Amino acid sequence: RDEVTGSVNHVTIANDRGRLSEADIAHMLSEAERFKAEDEARMRRVEAKNDLESMVYHALDLASQFENDELQQKAQDVQNWMDENEEAEVKQYAGKKRWLERQMSKANRV
């Protein structure tokens, strides 16, 4: 509805030329759903990887601040693991992040 003139237009989409069959449309919709799920899974993996990478840089910064060679080595080990496992799963990234968090916690107590 146009706010100024008050006129109303309706749009109707009709498949009167036979371009896509119902089966084609259903196939396209099912592919779209599959791709959506794959995209969501990929996004979760990228987020987990970014979280771990952020944790590594934080650990390296902490190690540098407190001159903690052991923590620095552990953070570098995780960084190397990430370089070697670019297609790791969310659980693997999360596990490495928890492990590095524990190492950082131990370093803070020392």
Side-chain angles (χ1 to χ4, degrees), residues 22-81:
E22 290 295 322
D24 291 337
I25 293 170
H27 177 71
M28 291 171 74
L29 288 173
S30 69
E31 278 189 335
E33 286 298 318
R34 182 174 53 90
F35 291 140
K36 178 182 176 185
E38 289 173 6
D39 289 346
E40 289 170 350
R42 186 173 293 116
M43 180 62 74
R44 286 189 299 274
R45 192 173 53 77
V46 168
E47 287 173 351
K49 182 177 181 179
N50 288 344
D51 286 347
L52 178 56
E53 189 171 45
S54 177
M55 181 68 62
V56 167
Y57 288 121
H58 182 66
L60 288 170
D61 184 50
L62 187 67
S64 176
Q65 260 183 333
F66 295 104
E67 298 178 3
N68 187 326
D69 293 337
E70 183 179 349
L71 179 59
Q72 182 174 4
Q73 183 59 51
K74 289 177 180 181
Q76 286 174 340
D77 289 346
V78 173
Q79 192 170 34
N80 292 339
W81 178 87

Side-chain angles (χ1 to χ4, degrees), residues 12-18:
T12 303
I13 300 173
N15 189 15
D16 57 356
R17 295 193 180 165

